[in-house]
Amino acid sequence: MEKQDILKTVNAVFIDTLDNEDIVLSYDTTANDVEDWDSLNHIQLVVAIEKQFKIRFTSHEIQSWKNVGEMIDCIQTKV
Amino acid sequence: MKVFSQLKKNLKQDFSLLKQIKVALLGDTATQFLNQALRGTGYDYGFDLQIWEADFNQIERQVFDTASELYAFNPDIVIIFRSAHKLVTTHSKLNPAQYVTLANTELDLIESLVNTLNAQLKAQVIYFNYSEIDDGVFGSYANKTEASFLFQLRKLNFELMTLAAKMSGLYICDLSSIQNRVGKTVMFQPSIYINSEMVLSIDALPEIAARNLDIIAAINGKFKKCLVLDLDNTLWGGIIGDDGIEKIQLGTLGIGKAFTEFQYWIKKLKNRGIILAVCSKNTEAIAKEPFENHPDMVLHLDDIAVFVANWENKVDNIRYIQQVLNIGFDSMVFLDDNPFERNIVREGIPELTVPELPEDPAEYLEYLYSLNLFETVSFSEADAARTAQYQNQAKMLQVQQTFNNEDDFLKSLDMKSLVEPFNKFNTPRVSQLSQRSNQFNLRTVRYTEQDIEAILNDENYFTFAFTLEDKFGDNGLICMIILKKDAQETLFIDTWLMSCRVLKRGMEAFVLNTIVDFARSNGYGWLKGEYLPTAKNEMVKDHYQNLGFQQKAGYWLLDVNGYQHKTCFIIPK
């Protein structure tokens, strides 16, 4: 799967999970850039992304990403 | 069932018209998502749950320190969730010689938590039991080894039931049962637990929240009382009118086992006090034939309180059943195999619960188990007699039509009433009546058994429980009065409620005569009543006015000494 496609799908998951139509993610986006992306909602996002791509992250991966790009790299290794 | 993200969207809805309930949530793991799931589910149940969430792992401090935020919040419901994962840690840290003591030590702590809460608050406690963890340390031999974690966990779950059976203010949220159904992989996600201290997976939360809301709704008087059943392909396989009694599938014939087991389940509901009614498109005599003559029928005609079989539409027929039983549509469940009929009924009576029965009758039971439709917060032996009472009610309606004169009819009933203060024998029924009665209920105060016990020990309260029997049978305990000393000369009617089964029998007059006599002989000059309107009690809006009370400053007053006994045809027993 192309990174660009993964980004699009992840973006849609963010919009649905955080209930915010205005979210536009890029590879450089960090949690600080997105309203409501706190540690609690991070968990909900992780679970929603896992479900969307039918993958599982390891405990280490869940807390390792510095930005959306790293998250997408991680997803790409699994799909 | 909604998923968690949908429940979360509920949080943005307008809660302002919903009934507020204050809930304290205490956990030994992170409970933020549980909090959101509870409030979101509460919205769909019609409640505005005001949830105060204790800081993480503060259960003992909040409960045992009576100056804590918990007591300042003064909740109606306290939910305590101590997780199996923390229990493993507790077990692991014990000296091996102490392993066998885990369950008992925990039980002592739980009992002491609940006792402290009950002593300080007028709140009901919901305690989560433990989802099973088999740590594999002993293999299957754990079942033979008291020191194993599995042995201690199961012992704890079992003893929790015993504890809940004896403590009226304690309800168990059966997490173990939920895990049994959804499976451990759905219930628990290790990576999330390690990262967040959350032990309940996002996928399991809606289910868990719903089970809590079922209990909270039942505590607040919202629960199912009646099951309305279709016949063909619902209670038996095939169509009685076409196939005939020898060909419908029941017992060993065809897939009859599915229907027979289904009927056994329905019979148990009936024995528990759920009223059964039949609503079928059939010719009545043909529809009744299996009940009378089929050897494999589990349900018989005397199990059915109201039997309606005709060719009219089901919406009208269910309305008729509702009128005979005199209960709310929201306390009724309708089961029908036909999706078309279900949709018509759903559209015609939106308050009714109409489960989407699976196409395959083999699936009926597992599906219905999963819905947890019949939550309750009380059970008394009188419940089992309910069907007979409703059948008597239907018979009486027929007899009444043969009398031209109301008084002659009432006289002919030979009514007797036993009047007693509340006591330990009638407390369960009294508490239950206060939770079930919505229509003939002047102030709609709900009392738990524990509340009733407190009233018994308070000398400012005087209580009366009334039974009513007539020539058709015993209606059991059908009316309760709680009087409270208000001022020197005045008794306030804290509670006046009555089962709608005994309307128009002169019971109101009998009750008023009784409490006026009590007031007089104890030196009180006034009775003071109050009507608090709800969505359901409009029936008693003019109750006090009709009985001769005078309105004053929002209350209704009756001069006891000027009172003339009202005529009624009920004799004290």
Side-chain angles (χ1 to χ4, degrees):
Chain A
M1 203 171 182
E2 292 299 318
K3 276 179 84 164
Q4 196 54 40
D5 296 333
I6 296 176
L7 179 66
K8 237 193 230 164
T9 310
V10 168
N11 204 121
V13 171
F14 268 65
I15 287 174
D16 182 56
T17 305
L18 299 179
D19 201 14
N20 178 354
E21 293 287 339
D22 301 331
I23 296 175
V24 183
L25 299 178
S26 71
Y27 300 123
D28 299 329
T29 308
T30 68
N32 290 333
D33 304 326
V34 179
E35 202 189 332
D36 289 336
W37 187 0
D38 54 20
S39 59
L40 192 62
N41 285 332
H42 181 64
I43 297 297
Q44 208 193 330
L45 288 165
V46 164
V47 172
I49 291 166
E50 285 183 335
K51 197 167 273 180
Q52 178 69 42
F53 291 97
K54 300 191 175 64
I55 55 172
R56 272 288 161 104
F57 298 116
T58 67
S59 319
H60 179 72
E61 285 162 350
I62 290 170
Q63 44 181 249
S64 67
W65 312 308
K66 289 188 195 65
N67 55 34
V68 170
E70 291 190 20
M71 180 194 267
I72 283 168
D73 290 340
C74 180
I75 296 171
Q76 203 177 22
T77 64
K78 293 170 189 280
V79 292
Chain B
M1 182 170 278
K2 285 188 178 172
V3 299
F4 178 69
S5 60
Q6 292 170 306
L7 293 178
K8 225 174 141 180
K9 290 186 177 120
N10 271 358
L11 301 179
K12 295 181 180 166
Q13 302 280 356
D14 178 13
F15 283 71
S16 61
L17 291 174
L18 306 182
K19 181 185 166 79
Q20 285 193 7
I21 298 174
K22 288 164 82 177
V23 177
L25 174 62
L26 302 100
D28 64 359
T29 53
T31 48
Q32 293 96 323
F33 281 169
L34 179 59
N35 180 344
Q36 294 173 347
L38 285 168
R39 185 163 162 78
T41 306
Y43 178 81
D44 289 335
Y45 277 67
F47 296 120
D48 172 8
L49 299 187
Q50 302 277 325
I51 303 176
W52 170 80
E53 189 180 348
D55 286 341
F56 171 66
N57 215 359
Q58 290 261 309
I59 301 172
E60 284 92 333
R61 198 193 76 71
Q62 289 291 340
V63 173
F64 293 129
D65 171 8
T66 53
S68 69
E69 296 101 308
L70 168 66
Y71 295 106
F73 178 64
N74 193 23
D76 305 306
I77 305 277
V78 179
I79 298 178
I80 301 181
F81 173 34
R82 296 172 75 243
S83 68
H85 291 83
K86 295 290 162 181
L87 193 67
V88 173
T89 309
T90 310
H91 187 254
S92 306
K93 287 181 176 168
L94 291 174
N95 175 326
Q98 306 293 311
Y99 285 164
V100 294
T101 65
L102 179 73
N104 285 339
T105 311
E106 291 294 306
L107 274 167
D108 287 346
L109 173 63
I110 296 162
E111 186 166 3
S112 149
L113 286 168
V114 178
N115 274 331
T116 310
L117 288 166
N118 282 345
Q120 299 293 327
L121 292 169
K122 220 179 102 52
Q124 309 300 306
V125 180
I126 299 177
Y127 191 91
F128 285 35
N129 72 3
Y130 298 84
S131 50
E132 282 195 11
I133 297 175
D134 180 0
D135 63 9
V137 169
F138 285 91
S140 302
Y141 201 74
N143 289 279
K144 283 165 73 73
T145 310
E146 206 180 345
S148 74
F149 179 69
L150 190 66
F151 196 110
Q152 290 297 312
L153 180 145
R154 286 187 176 150
K155 178 179 177 183
L156 184 48
N157 274 349
F158 177 78
E159 292 296 343
L160 263 175
M161 292 196 277
T162 314
L163 186 68
K166 88 175 181 204
M167 296 182 95
S168 57
L170 172 62
Y171 303 93
I172 302 297
C173 172
D174 199 342
L175 211 55
S176 172
S177 209
I178 296 172
Q179 176 166 297
N180 257 339
R181 196 148 43 70
V182 303
K184 191 166 181 188
T185 47
V186 175
M187 190 81 163
F188 177 65
Q189 190 173 346
S191 60
I192 299 298
Y193 167 58
I194 294 303
N195 273 287
S196 70
E197 274 297 297
M198 264 184 278
V199 291
L200 301 173
S201 82
I202 285 178
D203 288 342
L205 281 170
E207 184 85 26
I208 296 160
R211 293 297 81 86
N212 279 280
L213 262 302
D214 288 338
I215 298 172
I216 293 171
I219 289 171
N220 285 278
K222 278 187 166 183
F223 47 82
K224 305 297 179 218
K225 299 174 182 171
C226 168
L227 181 57
V228 182
L229 299 156
D230 170 54
L231 297 179
D232 294 329
N233 286 316
T234 301
L235 276 197
W236 53 69
I239 295 166
I240 184 67
D242 295 340
D243 298 331
I245 190 161
E246 64 285 350
K247 292 232 181 79
I248 56 168
Q249 298 178 49
L250 270 175
T252 51
L253 189 63
I255 59 162
K257 187 167 69 175
F259 296 100
T260 302
E261 290 185 3
F262 186 47
Q263 288 198 21
Y264 273 117
W265 181 69
I266 293 169
K267 182 101 167 184
K268 272 190 195 160
L269 287 173
K270 179 248 166 183
N271 289 340
R272 202 215 84 186
I274 299 293
I275 312 158
L276 303 183
V278 162
C279 176
S280 166
K281 279 193 176 159
N282 256 313
T283 302
E284 184 170 341
I286 295 174
K288 283 186 170 168
E289 206 190 343
F291 288 86
E292 288 161 335
N293 296 322
H294 199 296
D296 292 321
M297 276 295 282
V298 177
L299 295 170
H300 298 109
L301 285 180
D302 59 5
D303 295 317
I304 310 295
V306 188
F307 197 108
V308 182
N310 58 35
W311 298 96
E312 306 299 316
N313 79 71
K314 292 203 174 183
V315 172
D316 288 344
N317 282 334
I318 293 172
R319 284 185 200 284
Y320 167 77
I321 292 169
Q322 182 264 342
Q323 278 163 13
V324 173
L325 298 175
N326 210 348
I327 56 177
F329 283 123
D330 60 356
S331 66
M332 298 168 75
V333 177
F334 174 56
L335 292 183
D336 194 319
D337 67 296
N338 184 335
F340 178 74
E341 296 286 3
R342 290 200 297 260
N343 282 334
I344 291 183
V345 167
R346 240 181 237 132
E347 234 162 72
I349 314 173
E351 310 95 301
L352 202 70
T353 300
V354 187
E356 200 56 28
L357 272 187
E359 200 185 328
D360 182 354
E363 309 270 357
Y364 286 177
L365 273 181
E366 282 300 326
Y367 169 71
L368 289 167
Y369 292 168
S370 78
L371 297 184
N372 193 39
L373 287 169
F374 298 99
E375 190 64 68
T376 182
V377 287
S378 62
F379 173 66
S380 73
E381 280 164 26
D383 290 349
R386 195 166 292 132
T387 300
Q389 289 161 358
Y390 280 105
Q391 285 169 338
N392 292 339
Q393 166 96 353
K395 265 186 234 154
M396 209 183 62
L397 287 174
Q398 286 164 4
V399 173
Q400 187 169 11
Q401 286 160 1
T402 66
F403 282 86
N404 295 323
N405 177 309
E406 180 88 8
D407 284 0
D408 289 345
F409 166 66
L410 290 176
K411 261 184 247 171
S412 78
L413 290 176
D414 296 329
M415 294 183 286
K416 296 186 191 74
S417 174
L418 175 68
V419 187
E420 282 185 311
F422 301 169
N423 55 46
K424 68 173 190 261
F425 301 105
N426 62 26
T427 293
R429 171 62 181 155
V430 162
S431 153
Q432 186 190 50
L433 197 60
S434 87
Q435 282 150 11
R436 295 180 70 95
S437 303
N438 297 313
Q439 300 181 84
F440 198 112
N441 195 340
L442 273 301
R443 296 180 72 243
T444 320
V445 184
R446 310 291 187 193
Y447 289 102
T448 63
E449 289 184 33
Q450 179 196 344
D451 298 331
I452 299 290
E453 281 157 23
I455 285 175
L456 289 183
N457 294 323
D458 187 331
E459 58 184 20
N460 290 315
Y461 286 94
F462 308 100
T463 60
F464 304 82
F466 297 80
T467 67
L468 183 66
E469 66 181 77
D470 56 41
K471 69 176 180 185
F472 295 107
D474 191 351
N475 292 287
L477 200 162
I478 42 73
C479 174
M480 63 185 268
I481 295 280
I482 298 175
L483 300 178
K484 188 182 182 197
K485 205 187 280 183
D486 188 56
Q488 199 55 29
E489 281 247 282
T490 308
L491 284 171
F492 177 60
I493 306 172
D494 169 275
T495 291
W496 185 333
L497 63 83
M498 206 168 86
S499 161
C500 287
R501 286 205 301 271
V502 297
L503 287 178
K504 299 191 182 144
R505 309 278 287 270
M507 197 65 207
E508 299 92 316
F510 180 77
V511 168
L512 187 58
N513 290 346
T514 307
I515 59 177
V516 164
D517 287 347
F518 172 85
R520 270 186 199 146
S521 53
N522 288 277
Y524 293 95
W526 298 89
L527 282 174
K528 179 171 154 187
E530 185 184 22
Y531 166 67
L532 298 177
T534 68
K536 289 192 168 172
N537 72 353
E538 207 193 330
M539 167 195 286
V540 289
K541 185 165 55 101
D542 300 323
H543 173 72
Y544 287 121
Q545 187 172 12
N546 294 341
L547 289 173
F549 286 62
Q550 303 292 322
Q551 195 163 20
K552 197 178 165 193
Y555 292 98
W556 293 92
L557 290 176
L558 182 76
D559 175 2
V560 166
N561 295 313
Y563 178 79
Q564 299 271 329
H565 259 225
K566 296 196 183 298
T567 314
C568 73
F569 302 99
I570 302 169
I571 302 160
K573 193 178 158 187

